[in-house]
Amino acid sequence: MIDRAGPSDVAMLAMGTRGSLAQRAGAILLLEPRPGFEVARASRLLAAWIRSVPRLRRRLVRVPFGCGRPVWVDDPGFDVRLHVREMACPAPGDERALLDVAAAVLVGPSPPSRWAAVFVTGLSDGAVALIVVLDHVLADGIGGLALLAALADPGRRPEPGGFPQPPPSLPRLAADAFAERLRALGRVRAYWQDARTALTASGGLRPAPVARCSLLRPTGPRRTFAVVRADLVAVRDAAHREGCTVNDALLTAVTGALRELLRRRGEHVEALSVSVPVSARSTTTSGELGNRFGVLIAALPVVGDAGQRMRRIASLLAERKKAAGQASAANLFGPLFRLLAALGLYRRYLRRQLRIHTLVSNVRGPDRTLTFADAAIREIIPVAVAESGNVTVSFEILSYDGTIVITLIADPDNVPDLDALAALLREELAGITAGGSPAGRPSGTYGPHIGDVRR
């Protein structure tokens, strides 16, 4: 079979313009090593796992004109040592030091197959971290979870195939591209309907500009992370009391924390526009990666108590969630994205856009403890970096084994108060799970002055 990049994959490739920050996602797996655990053995097991995931030993190559989108082909020069390595965590080996290592890995150079895995030793609590980084062209959030499941469960791994397989011939590529164009002609009417659906989910073709504030400033190439944790059952119970979902509760907490951060900066907004990826599939396998998601954009209220805002957010998102899951703007308008990127206009737009204040990605992970190399995976911390634009802080959320982990991702030059934002988010979550407002603050207005999985 021809492993061709999908329309959304090609759009992702175009969005990562030359000289900009690549769009990458991944996770920090905290391993609880048993006596006798060896990183060398774990690396060998990882190498064995890689042989059962064809995409991880391939590189994306462009094809001649008329032969369709780029294809993934086996890399005869594939060397696992270019992808898997070990390093010691700088002193004092705490979470802050580990997050700094992860940020450096994510913004660093990527091997040809567009992924990397780094074992980090020397953590102060005796754990070993495995940082796995994937270029967004390789897989979306659901695809990343499929890779994680295959890593932790040998039963989910397909049998390795012969390697390397020869690349498809030009006649095959041309015939496959021609057949795809014929199928596309039969979907013209559906295309326009899907285009309208995608535009509805993202707020329309010409939405009103969002409120200007310090959350929107041109960002640089560096990133820093902070982590906030919450009990999944407590958040779910709080959401269900309001007739809402976990995702609604998390968006309520995130927007509440951002509102308070802006208030402390002397800024005041009535609503915050949030972009939320919505997967077009609930599951996939390690053999079916790529990107299949839509984007939901909505202006979410920040005035009122948590319960009122949560219910309002649920109402605002209900219809757009469905639309975003049905149609992907990146999929439908990929040629336009590629043209804008080629002309240098896409990056210019990102640095000046007034459509969103932040991005919130929420993925439901495994509900049981996984293991790798006979070590329990104690925690999974989601991480990501994206094209430099003007969104100074975003949020990656993953639930795993009863705990919600929220990673705050920020440009350190524009968000020097990231730790304060993390503390505010903890307060908002505590207030929501306790059934009230954060301690010490009144509900309602604050003085004169947001992946999605339904749960």
Side-chain angles (χ1 to χ4, degrees), residues 208-428:
V210 301
R212 295 177 182 271
C213 64
S214 58
L215 295 177
L216 297 177
R217 290 173 176 168
T219 58
R222 297 192 303 136
R223 293 294 179 269
T224 188
F225 303 145
V227 176
V228 172
R229 299 167 178 85
D231 181 77
L232 174 58
V233 173
V235 174
R236 180 188 292 144
D237 289 348
H240 288 182
R241 284 196 298 268
E242 301 293 342
C244 301
T245 68
V246 169
N247 195 62
D248 300 327
L250 293 173
L251 288 170
T252 301
V254 166
T255 51
L258 289 173
R259 170 208 55 212
E260 179 62 14
L261 181 75
L262 290 174
R263 189 190 69 83
R264 292 185 179 187
R265 292 177 177 178
E267 303 173 65
H268 319 292
V269 297
E270 296 293 320
L272 290 169
S273 182
V274 180
S275 174
V276 182
V278 179
S279 179
R281 54 188 175 182
S282 58
T283 61
T284 188
T285 68
S286 58
E288 302 174 64
L289 301 178
N291 290 271
R292 290 183 58 191
F293 67 92
V295 174
L296 177 160
I297 298 176
L300 305 185
V302 297
V303 177
D305 66 34
Q308 292 172 339
R309 290 189 292 115
M310 194 188 308
R311 293 190 295 273
R312 179 61 178 150
I313 286 172
S315 176
L316 285 170
L317 300 190
E319 286 302 316
R320 292 192 182 184
K321 283 181 187 177
K322 182 179 179 181
Q326 291 175 341
S328 164
N331 195 340
L332 295 164
F333 306 119
L336 176 60
F337 289 148
R338 295 197 294 273
L339 175 62
L340 293 176
L343 296 175
L345 298 178
Y346 179 72
R347 192 177 186 189
R348 179 182 176 87
Y349 163 75
L350 286 183
R351 297 182 72 80
R352 294 165 173 80
Q353 66 85 29
L354 289 173
R355 197 178 186 98
I356 65 169
H357 290 108
T358 191
L359 300 92
V360 181
S361 174
N362 176 24
V363 176
R364 180 170 60 186
D367 57 6
R368 60 184 177 86
T369 302
L370 304 179
T371 61
F372 172 65
D374 296 325
I377 301 176
R378 183 180 76 198
E379 185 175 57
I380 303 175
I381 301 173
V383 289
V385 295
E387 162 76 61
S388 297
N390 69 347
V391 175
T392 59
V393 62
S394 59
F395 302 81
E396 290 286 323
I397 307 175
L398 176 71
S399 63
Y400 168 66
D401 196 20
T403 298
I404 297 172
V405 179
I406 306 172
T407 304
L408 293 73
I409 304 157
D411 177 332
D413 296 320
N414 285 310
V415 192
D417 44 3
L418 182 62
D419 288 340
L421 177 58
L424 291 170
L425 182 53
R426 292 187 189 97
E427 289 183 21
E428 292 289 331

Side-chain angles (χ1 to χ4, degrees), residues 1-7 9-10 52-63 67-75 113-114 137-139 147 163 165-169 172-173 176-177 180 281 284-291:
M1 294 181 61
I2 296 175
D3 186 7
R4 195 184 292 277
D9 304 337
V10 178
S52 67
V53 185
R55 181 69 66 86
L56 295 184
R57 294 190 291 174
R58 293 176 176 170
R59 65 167 67 203
L60 189 63
V61 298
R62 300 186 184 278
V63 297
C67 291
R69 297 185 301 275
V71 295
W72 292 93
V73 299
D74 285 356
D75 181 3
S113 298
R114 299 175 179 270
V137 175
L138 184 66
L147 288 174
F163 180 85
Q165 295 289 330
S169 65
R172 277 192 66 202
L173 287 170
D176 180 74
E180 187 169 293
R281 54 188 175 182
T284 188
T285 68
S286 58
E288 302 174 64
L289 301 178
N291 290 271

